[in-house]
């Protein structure tokens, strides 16, 4: 705020004044430089997330240097899925501008049987039939399945088998596949 004063003076030296104020308000938002583009990453090996890095935007303003804050710093670890990163520039008058981009992390790491699968198994036919019913091998204690994003029993790994339990197989050698699928 600045005061402007006018003074009128006559030939005898008499004066009269009037004044008013001029208030200048900064209504211009700061400007962020180029916001990073959306980032898509695969998980870091053995983890359920990934570290993402980028060049942070800077900001300029017509009235000084604005403060730049962010929801996530470059070099942060992001969990699976999509996270929005937001940068906000704020000037001394409280004007703001924002920019956002997303970091998407996908899990590309397969579950591991840790060297343990079901041992070869011999099933015997009964006296009235020349075939056998395939048992459910998916809950066997021989299985030791882990994943970078969880373990069996935690709801993050689904274990199935082919042929499914209850299937009838004739005499001979058959392969049963145990399949571990993560979320």
């Amino acid at each position: 705020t600045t005061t402007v004063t006018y003074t009128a003076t006559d030939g005898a030296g008499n004066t009269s004044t009037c004044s008013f104020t001029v208030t200048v308000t900064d209504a211009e938002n700061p400007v962020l430089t180029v916001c990073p583009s959306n980032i898509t990453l695969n998980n870091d090996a053995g983890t359920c997330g990934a570290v993402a890095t980028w060049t942070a935007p800077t900001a300029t303003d017509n009235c000084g240097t604005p403060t730049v804050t962010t929801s996530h710093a470059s070099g942060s670890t992001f969990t699976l899925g999509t996270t929005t990163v937001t940068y906000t520039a704020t000037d001394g008058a409280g004007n703001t501008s924002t920019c956002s981009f997303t970091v998407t992390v996908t899990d590309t790491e397969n579950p591991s049987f840790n060297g343990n699968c079901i041992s070869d198994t011999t099933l015997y036919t009964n006296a009235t039939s020349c075939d056998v019913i395939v048992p459910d091998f998916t809950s066997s204690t021989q299985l030791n399945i882990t994943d970078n994003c969880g373990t069996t029993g935690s709801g993050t790994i689904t274990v199935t088998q082919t042929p499914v339990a209850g299937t009838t197989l004739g005499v001979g050698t058959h392969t049963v596949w145990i399949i571990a699928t993560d979320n």
Side-chain angles (χ1 to χ4, degrees):
T1 300
T2 303
T3 300
V4 177
T5 302
Y6 281 92
T7 303
T9 306
D10 64 14
N14 298 312
T15 63
S16 175
T17 62
C18 75
S19 61
F20 61 95
T21 60
V22 175
T23 302
V24 178
T25 303
D26 178 9
E28 188 173 330
N29 291 333
V31 176
L32 283 161
T33 60
V34 178
C35 203
S37 298
N38 293 338
I39 299 170
T40 300
L41 302 168
N42 294 332
N43 67 289
D44 293 338
T47 67
C48 196
V51 173
T53 58
W54 58 85
T55 301
T58 57
T60 58
D61 190 55
N62 62 320
C63 294
T65 304
T67 302
V68 178
T69 57
T70 184
S71 59
H72 301 80
S74 177
S76 295
T77 299
F78 291 81
T79 58
L80 295 184
T82 301
T83 303
T84 299
V85 177
T86 302
Y87 277 87
T88 303
T90 306
D91 68 13
N95 299 310
T96 62
S97 63
T98 61
C99 77
S100 297
F101 63 97
T102 60
V103 176
T104 302
V105 179
T106 56
D107 179 12
T108 58
E109 195 167 332
N110 292 326
S112 173
F113 281 89
N114 298 312
N116 297 321
C117 195
I118 305 296
S119 301
D120 289 344
T121 303
T122 301
L123 301 174
Y124 298 97
T125 61
N126 60 39
T128 61
S129 172
C130 197
D131 51 26
V132 294
I133 304 296
V134 176
D136 181 2
F137 291 108
T138 63
S139 58
S140 172
T141 57
Q142 291 182 42
L143 297 175
N144 178 18
I145 304 167
T146 58
D147 187 59
N148 59 308
C149 290
T151 59
T152 53
S154 67
T156 60
I157 300 173
T158 303
V159 181
T160 58
Q161 75 181 40
T162 301
V164 297
T167 302
T168 302
L169 296 177
V171 173
T173 301
H174 304 277
T175 300
V176 176
W177 290 94
I178 305 295
I179 303 161
T181 307
D182 64 15
N183 286 343

